[in-house]
Amino acid sequence: MCTDDVPDEVSDQVSDQVSDHQLGRRALLVTGAATALTLGTMSFASAAEGSQSTKTLKGTLPPGAPDFVYLPVEVPRGVREIKVSYTYTKATVPAGTQNNALDIGIFDERGTALGGKGFRGWSGGARTEFFLRADDATPGYIPGPVRAGTWNIALGPYTVAPEGLPYEVTITLTFGESGRTPVPSYPPERARGRGRAWYRGDCHLHSWYSDGRRTPAEIGALARAAGLDFINTSDHNTHSAQAHWADVAGDDLLVMVGEEITTRNGHVVALGMDPGTFVDWRYRARDNRWAKYAQQIRRAGGLVVPAHPHATCIGCGWKFGFGEADAVEVWNGPYTPDDEISLADWDNTLVAYARSGGRGGWLPAMGNSDAHRDPDRVGGPQTVVLADDLTRQAIQEGIRAGRSYVAETKDVEVSLTASGGRGGSAGLGERLDVAADTPVTVDLEVKGAPGCTLHIVTDQGTLFTSAALPDSGTGKATWHTTPAYAAYVRAEVRHPSTVPGLPGALTAFTNPVFLGAPAG
């Protein structure tokens, strides 16, 4: 029933009922995570098989509304399908002021507890309606029986205009016999590899199971055309897509399953989790909940990869720190200034690691497309990983070890090695363990980058830059140093600069090769 904090009750009329809710100050509930509000309960009576019952709720969310607003719905026995539609009003706002945006999802009778079992789907702002029943559900939602009990429609006011966010939610229950829930079929954890080799992948992709516009089959075709050997599914805040990729995988394409966990303080790609794993997103950095969910990702066999850490969209910048990360997405989609900032920020973490004498771990870099729809390019960029085979575990081990580089397209190839001492050599993600005064030779080779320049970067900055590569796109560079002069070396391949005084966009960059003996 409605509380005193929500003054107007939802009536028991079966159809065409509207109630207007204005939120009082005492309605906010601090849950230990993001603030939340629970509205009064909407109740439905039982009805004959084949019939429908519809109810509608209207309300207005004020500026400063909580992150999540829950509408409890009492679902009686005998319901075959629940359908939800919603609308909200855009306001007229001054330039520079955020307009209204409202997300939506649903939790079943098992409740809305953080990390609980009640989650049944989320479409964010990508859809205006959805349905669930035992044998089927709207993409983004989980098929299964519509059991009796208190369900909750979850509203997420992403941004609220100064005059408030008017909304309307309509719920329709269809009564009848429940269908049979399909058994999920997940993609295999290995493909036909080439043994220890370089494998190309894109681990940040969106399908129509969240806010993308492509089917898994369409994404698979584009991945193969981009020369990829592996991909990772990463739809926003739902694991519903994971059971729809088995037919896309094949001997030539490894499909790992994951999720993009989209919090209000940054996004993170869960890379290669056990199928069927759902990771909650309803918390902020100040809630001190992130470590728990990062550990859940790793318990499920996945990697924790903060995405586009310096992106400028609301809620996209990463605020949780990198203590729980296994890698970081430095390059996201077409190269833009926020990627340049991410690259510099990541390089600073390498400097800090070198300053510590190599104690603790360092953070490898990745690049992914974050492709949603045309003309977004799957595989632009792509992470190229040296792995023992084309399996989930081997690819993850290569990423975690930093045995990788990021390339704009399948045509770009990069090789970076450091050698010195008694015939020793080291490649990407490795350490050349020699004395501080040992002469070291750094060899860089690039293919597929016509007109680009080669750069060798150390903890002191860029210490070598080549002339532009010829039309063949192939070039080599050799540079000499010592571990006392350079704690690490890494490579960048860049397009010509288009703005005087600023570097050109990346064509490729590598993870580092560390030089010198590690701390004792």
Side-chain angles (χ1 to χ4, degrees), residues 313-406:
C313 48
I314 294 175
C316 295
W318 184 248
K319 305 296 185 183
F320 293 89
F322 296 100
E324 296 291 341
D326 297 304
V328 59
E329 185 185 75
V330 167
W331 182 355
N332 174 277
Y335 200 73
T336 54
D338 65 278
D339 297 307
E340 190 71 34
I341 295 171
S342 294
L343 180 68
D345 194 36
W346 168 69
D347 188 77
N348 287 339
T349 69
L350 302 180
V351 173
Y353 173 74
R355 187 184 303 123
S356 74
R359 293 182 177 88
W362 63 281
L363 194 60
M366 294 187 67
N368 300 300
S369 72
D370 199 0
H372 286 69
R373 60 186 67 82
D374 294 338
D376 297 353
R377 186 167 58 86
V378 172
Q382 50 195 249
T383 300
V384 190
V385 183
L386 179 61
D388 290 334
D389 207 347
L390 188 52
T391 67
R392 168 189 169 190
Q393 181 177 355
I395 293 296
Q396 289 176 322
E397 288 176 352
I399 292 171
R400 189 186 293 108
R403 298 193 303 265
S404 60
Y405 64 90
V406 179

Side-chain angles (χ1 to χ4, degrees), residues 68 70-73 75 82 104-122 130 132 141 149-155 237 278 280-282:
F68 300 100
Y70 297 105
L71 169 59
V73 180
V75 176
I82 181 169
I104 196 166
I106 193 169
F107 291 78
D108 67 19
E109 84 289 348
R110 291 171 290 184
T112 62
L114 276 175
K117 296 182 178 180
F119 176 77
R120 289 294 293 271
W122 182 259
F130 62 87
L132 298 92
Y141 294 82
T150 303
W151 289 53
N152 278 272
I153 309 302
L155 300 175
N237 297 345
F278 165 68
D280 214 317
W281 74 96
R282 294 170 294 158

Side-chain angles (χ1 to χ4, degrees), residues 60 124 128 139 161 180 211 307 312 344 352 375 473 481:
T60 300
T128 59
R180 178 175 297 179
D211 61 344
T312 56
T481 189

Side-chain angles (χ1 to χ4, degrees), residues 216-229:
E218 290 169 336
I219 294 172
L222 291 170
R224 289 177 166 94
L228 301 184
D229 301 292

Side-chain angles (χ1 to χ4, degrees), residues 185-465:
S185 176
Y186 299 113
E189 294 192 7
R190 65 172 53 244
R192 183 181 296 168
R194 304 182 298 276
R196 188 172 177 83
W198 292 95
Y199 296 99
R200 294 175 176 266
D202 188 347
C203 294
H204 189 166
L205 295 162
H206 295 281
S207 75
W208 67 357
Y209 286 89
S210 61
D211 61 344
R213 293 293 180 267
R214 292 165 173 156
T215 66
E218 290 169 336
I219 294 172
L222 291 170
R224 289 177 166 94
L228 301 184
D229 301 292
F230 65 92
I231 59 175
N232 177 73
T233 74
S234 55
D235 282 303
H236 293 280
N237 297 345
T238 180
H239 60 304
S240 65
Q242 296 178 5
H244 298 275
W245 287 88
D247 292 341
V248 176
D251 288 344
D252 62 335
L253 185 66
L254 172 69
V255 178
M256 298 181 287
V257 296
E259 178 186 340
E260 183 175 8
I261 301 143
T262 307
T263 79
R264 295 299 178 89
N265 288 150
H267 302 183
V268 61
V269 171
L271 196 165
M273 293 190 296
D274 295 336
T277 301
F278 165 68
V279 182
D280 214 317
W281 74 96
R282 294 170 294 158
Y283 41 85
R284 290 176 176 260
R286 63 176 180 244
D287 301 325
N288 295 320
R289 297 295 185 101
W290 164 235
K292 171 184 176 180
Y293 292 100
Q295 291 164 11
Q296 180 191 356
I297 294 169
R298 281 193 281 271
R299 284 197 305 271
L303 300 184
V304 177
V305 185
H308 44 67
H310 288 280
T312 56
C313 48
I314 294 175
C316 295
W318 184 248
K319 305 296 185 183
F320 293 89
F322 296 100
E324 296 291 341
D326 297 304
V328 59
E329 185 185 75
V330 167
W331 182 355
N332 174 277
Y335 200 73
T336 54
D338 65 278
D339 297 307
E340 190 71 34
I341 295 171
S342 294
L343 180 68
D345 194 36
W346 168 69
D347 188 77
N348 287 339
T349 69
L350 302 180
V351 173
Y353 173 74
R355 187 184 303 123
S356 74
R359 293 182 177 88
W362 63 281
L363 194 60
M366 294 187 67
N368 300 300
S369 72
D370 199 0
H372 286 69
R373 60 186 67 82
D374 294 338
D376 297 353
R377 186 167 58 86
V378 172
Q382 50 195 249
T383 300
V384 190
V385 183
L386 179 61
D388 290 334
D389 207 347
L390 188 52
T391 67
R392 168 189 169 190
Q393 181 177 355
I395 293 296
Q396 289 176 322
E397 288 176 352
I399 292 171
R400 189 186 293 108
R403 298 193 303 265
S404 60
Y405 64 90
V406 179
E408 192 172 31
T409 69
K410 65 181 178 182
D411 300 321
V412 180
E413 299 179 19
V414 182
S415 172
L416 180 70
T417 59
S419 58
R422 298 181 178 179
S425 66
L428 301 181
E430 297 176 339
R431 176 177 290 277
L432 183 64
D433 187 354
V434 295
D437 59 352
T438 302
V440 172
T441 299
V442 179
D443 290 302
L444 172 61
E445 183 173 357
V446 175
K447 297 179 181 179
C452 296
T453 51
L454 312 184
H455 307 262
I456 294 176
V457 184
T458 77
D459 51 314
Q460 298 187 62
T462 300
L463 297 183
F464 172 86
T465 298

